[in-house]
Amino acid sequence: MALLQIGKSKEACAGRVVGIDLGTTYSLVATVEDGAPRVLMDPEGRAALPSVAWFGPDRAVEVGHGAKAQAGTRPRRTIASAKRFMGRGHAEAQAQDELSPYRFTPGAEGPVVYFDLGEGDKVTPIEVSSAILRTLKLRAEAELGEGLDGAVITVPAYFDDAQRQATKDAARIAGLKVLRLLNEPTAAALAYGLDRSKDGMFAVFDMGGGTFDISLLRLEAGVFHVLTTGGDSRLGGDDFDRVVAEHFLQAAGLQVSETSPELAAQALAEARRAKEALTTADTVELEIWGDRFQLGRDQFDALVRPIIARTKGPIRRVLKDSGLDGEELDGVVLVGGSTRVPAVRAFVAQTFGQEPLADLDPDRVVALGAAVQADLLGGSGPRDDLVLLDVLPLSLGVETMGGATAKILHRNQTIPAEAAQEFTTYADGQTGLELHVLQGEREMAKDCRSLANFTLSGIPPMGAGMARIQVTFSVDADGILHASAEEKETGTSASIEVKPSYGLEDAEVERMIMESFEHAEADVRTKLLAEAKVEAERILTALDVARNRDAELLDEAERGKLEEAVQGLREAVAAEDAAAIQDRIEALDAASAEFAGRRMNKAIKSALSGRDAASWTG
């Protein structure tokens, strides 16, 4: 796609901010031009970037379609669906009893998930996400013709504080200024509401590759008010793939727990292909290590039905919170690629008593809404006709004596938000107070998610229960928590921006940023070489098939020329010279042009054989 002209109008300057849908399976970037959001394409005209990254032994990184092609042969070094592991710890990753090509290793820097790439190498979900974000950033800069001033990045509404902080760390490493983290259902409502210009009460049913959100929103005179939200940050289309893959591995007599990374990767890829095909087809054939299986739509629906049913709990909860019945809603908006599955759409229609709305592409609507919000924040400026009111997905509080939870900010409270609560000392002469910050709805601290600890020191010694300590929580528009404590008698205070224990330390983030700068040129060279080698292997394989199938179309002289060109390309690949590989590809293309023409003529004659003039129409 052509670059924008230099010397843009004031309206076009809004293109310097973008909206990014950082998805589990695919990611997209969008911008607003002339008041309308549009998704930005790559040079091949593709909007969706596979959320897959391949990490070479020399730390070269390939992202997107090329990386996805590596998954079957290099599964340990090819990481997909990293979003499911954002903000998680090693113990949580290890506890997952499910089919996966990944292996995990503890990290020296703290309780963060590390994918074991083999050969002593490892990488975090944050680094995977940063590579994806960097690729989208480069795409936007290439098409808009200038650097970016900032981005709105979407996250699942049910992402907790640790997962949000991990997303901000990934953006920082990618060199992106985050204007705001925006909940995905809210982004969809922005795009959808502006498109329809219709007020009312809507549910947003958002099921992507790895996460599920359900939100209820009221749209009224340009005000988008999120009333309540719920979901599951580990539920999505990846689970459909997994249950199908496990079913056929078991049918082949293979133990899922003993499956190699290579076999797991192939089984999951075939299951994903089958899922996508069954969106329109009635049956599809799978092939897993030579074994062929038929999968019908009814059988697929039966396999995934228990997974879809897991959405009932969050749906019931948000409807109860709002006091509404599903049939009272003005519409149910579908978001996320997994809502293309017919069984999901049928479930939504039955649950809410009405057919869901799918006017906009469910794969693109989140990116479009993020672009609208980015335009408001950093592009065209504030607008009087559009106000966005989002909510906290989970309650925030502190642990009290006995391990109980005292909630300070409550679930579904509109953000930005601030609240305070007073506490006191437990023992006589106590001069310090350890504050344990929690997130969750359970009453006991052990059942909630630990976010951070900080200490208030310098409390004057006095009798137990005499000190007055005010704890204040404030949550910004990104959903990031700031906590403070103050002893009211003396004014002694302490505060913390809650950097969860599952996030990365500043020093590690800075190290990753510096590494990205230091290896930028080498990474580009390595990527170009990798792409050239893949293209060369594809061409050589196709030519071998053609020569074996239609050997009679070649004479001895041509065979010699082709063999010489093939050998030249193989030598260029072995020498790992990207420019030489490209030259040799062009030489081989020229040497095989006449052979390709004869094969085309043969195919046309074969297709037309046996047909007479009466069989033609038009």
Side-chain angles (χ1 to χ4, degrees):
M1 191 169 291
L3 300 180
L4 297 180
Q5 294 295 317
I6 296 174
K8 296 185 287 292
S9 66
K10 182 178 179 181
E11 290 75 13
C13 288
R16 296 188 67 183
V17 293
V18 296
I20 294 177
D21 174 10
L22 181 60
T24 304
T25 309
Y26 292 97
S27 296
L28 301 95
V29 58
T31 191
V32 171
E33 288 182 352
D34 299 323
R38 70 176 181 91
V39 172
L40 302 179
M41 308 290 185
D42 69 8
E44 285 72 40
R46 298 171 298 197
L49 176 76
S51 299
V52 185
W54 173 77
F55 294 85
D58 56 356
R59 300 300 290 177
V61 183
E62 184 172 2
V63 175
H65 297 277
K68 186 177 179 182
Q70 305 262 24
T73 56
R74 298 172 176 176
R76 287 281 292 276
R77 289 191 166 273
T78 308
I79 308 300
S81 301
K83 184 174 177 178
R84 290 176 73 101
F85 299 94
M86 290 285 275
R88 299 303 183 190
H90 177 69
E92 291 174 291
Q94 288 287 80
Q96 297 175 45
D97 184 21
E98 56 188 31
L99 181 67
S100 171
Y102 308 131
R103 301 293 182 266
F104 304 99
T105 183
E109 291 83 359
V112 168
V113 172
Y114 280 84
F115 296 104
D116 184 354
L117 303 178
E119 302 174 11
D121 206 359
K122 60 188 178 184
V123 69
T124 69
I126 294 174
E127 291 173 279
V128 177
S129 295
S130 74
I132 295 166
L133 288 171
R134 187 182 299 113
T135 301
L136 293 173
K137 173 176 176 281
L138 292 173
R139 175 189 296 185
E141 289 175 341
E143 183 159 347
L144 299 176
E146 57 186 321
L148 297 182
D149 290 335
V152 168
I153 301 175
T154 61
V155 294
Y158 227 58
F159 252 24
D160 62 26
D161 204 71
Q163 292 164 310
R164 291 169 188 269
Q165 187 62 58
T167 303
K168 292 191 79 172
D169 286 343
R172 182 179 168 192
I173 295 168
L176 277 169
K177 177 185 177 183
V178 179
L179 300 174
R180 179 160 302 173
L181 296 180
L182 181 64
N183 288 344
E184 290 166 1
T186 310
L190 276 171
Y192 187 85
L194 291 178
D195 178 68
R196 293 179 64 89
S197 300
K198 180 179 180 181
D199 291 345
M201 195 79 70
F202 292 86
V204 179
F205 184 99
D206 180 359
M207 180 177 278
T211 59
F212 166 68
D213 287 319
I214 178 71
S215 297
L216 295 186
L217 305 96
R218 183 173 63 244
L219 281 61
E220 185 176 12
V223 176
F224 290 67
H225 190 177
V226 182
L227 301 178
T228 177
T229 189
D232 188 334
S233 61
R234 295 195 58 78
L235 173 63
D238 284 358
D239 299 290
F240 297 171
D241 304 338
R242 193 167 289 109
V243 73
V244 171
E246 290 177 350
H247 173 78
F248 284 105
L249 285 173
Q250 291 167 354
L254 300 169
Q255 294 293 323
V256 173
S257 60
E258 299 174 1
T259 302
S260 69
E262 291 76 15
L263 180 53
Q266 185 192 1
L268 289 169
E270 278 293 281
R272 187 175 301 113
R273 184 181 63 80
K275 173 188 68 179
E276 294 170 355
L278 289 173
T279 299
T280 54
D282 292 326
T283 60
V284 66
E285 186 175 85
L286 294 81
E287 182 176 348
I288 301 175
W289 274 28
D291 290 324
R292 294 181 179 272
F293 305 93
Q294 289 285 336
L295 180 65
R297 171 84 65 78
D298 291 343
Q299 187 181 13
F300 174 80
D301 289 351
L303 289 170
V304 303
R305 196 169 289 123
I307 298 170
I308 299 172
R310 287 168 53 190
T311 66
K312 287 182 179 179
I315 292 172
R316 282 196 297 264
R317 188 161 56 249
V318 298
L319 289 174
K320 181 180 178 181
D321 287 347
S322 67
L324 294 172
D325 183 82
E327 297 182 5
E328 297 179 68
L329 298 171
D330 294 289
V332 183
V333 180
L334 295 181
V335 180
S338 295
T339 61
R340 295 183 183 278
V341 174
V344 172
R345 296 198 172 193
F347 169 83
V348 173
Q350 181 181 16
T351 301
F352 290 94
Q354 58 181 292
E355 287 298 319
L357 303 169
D359 297 26
L360 298 180
D361 186 337
D363 291 316
R364 298 189 181 192
V365 65
V366 169
L368 295 173
V372 171
Q373 180 68 3
D375 187 56
L376 295 174
L377 293 175
S380 60
R383 281 172 47 175
D384 296 331
D385 62 337
L386 183 59
V387 179
L388 177 60
L389 301 174
D390 219 330
V391 297
L392 277 177
L394 295 167
S395 298
L396 296 161
V398 295
E399 181 178 359
T400 59
M401 289 303 299
T405 302
K407 296 183 177 69
I408 296 177
L409 287 172
H410 294 268
R411 181 168 64 93
N412 293 327
Q413 189 164 343
T414 301
I415 59 172
E418 181 172 302
Q421 193 168 327
E422 283 198 357
F423 298 88
T424 189
T425 51
Y426 177 73
D428 291 338
Q430 186 175 340
T431 59
L433 185 67
E434 182 79 15
L435 289 144
H436 183 197
V437 183
L438 304 165
Q439 185 171 36
E441 305 309 312
R442 303 287 294 275
E443 296 304 317
M444 299 303 294
K446 65 180 180 62
D447 298 318
C448 294
R449 187 170 182 80
S450 174
L451 293 182
N453 290 273
F454 71 106
T455 302
L456 175 64
S457 303
I459 301 173
M462 59 183 80
M466 297 298 293
R468 293 172 54 234
I469 300 162
Q470 180 173 290
V471 177
T472 303
F473 279 10
S474 64
V475 175
D476 61 25
D478 292 330
I480 302 297
L481 171 64
H482 305 259
S484 64
E486 179 185 8
E487 198 284 307
K488 303 299 289 184
E489 183 71 24
T490 62
T492 300
S493 64
S495 64
I496 185 173
E497 177 181 348
V498 177
K499 298 272 292 196
S501 58
Y502 288 88
L504 292 178
E505 295 296 330
D506 282 343
E508 191 175 5
V509 172
E510 291 296 335
R511 174 185 62 79
M512 293 176 182
I513 293 173
M514 293 307 298
E515 285 182 352
S516 70
F517 291 148
E518 292 169 2
H519 299 291
E521 290 187 12
D523 289 349
V524 170
R525 290 196 298 271
T526 303
K527 178 183 178 182
L528 290 174
L529 175 60
E531 291 174 345
K533 290 171 74 173
V534 169
E535 178 68 6
E537 290 300 328
R538 182 191 67 78
I539 290 171
L540 290 171
T541 300
L543 183 59
D544 283 344
V545 171
R547 287 193 294 179
N548 290 333
R549 185 171 296 168
D550 295 314
E552 75 282 359
L553 298 180
L554 284 169
D555 58 33
E556 286 300 319
E558 282 183 310
R559 285 195 183 92
K561 289 180 180 179
L562 274 181
E563 191 55 44
E564 182 179 348
V566 166
Q567 185 59 30
L569 179 54
R570 293 193 187 281
E571 289 173 356
V573 170
E576 299 196 334
D577 185 331
I581 292 173
Q582 193 59 48
D583 289 342
R584 294 296 186 176
I585 287 175
E586 292 175 4
L588 180 56
D589 183 62
S592 61
E594 293 184 7
F595 175 48
R598 287 195 291 273
R599 293 190 72 234
M600 178 68 73
N601 291 336
K602 176 184 175 182
I604 292 173
K605 289 179 181 178
S606 175
L608 297 179
S609 63
R611 299 179 64 184
D612 57 30
S615 68
W616 290 89
T617 59

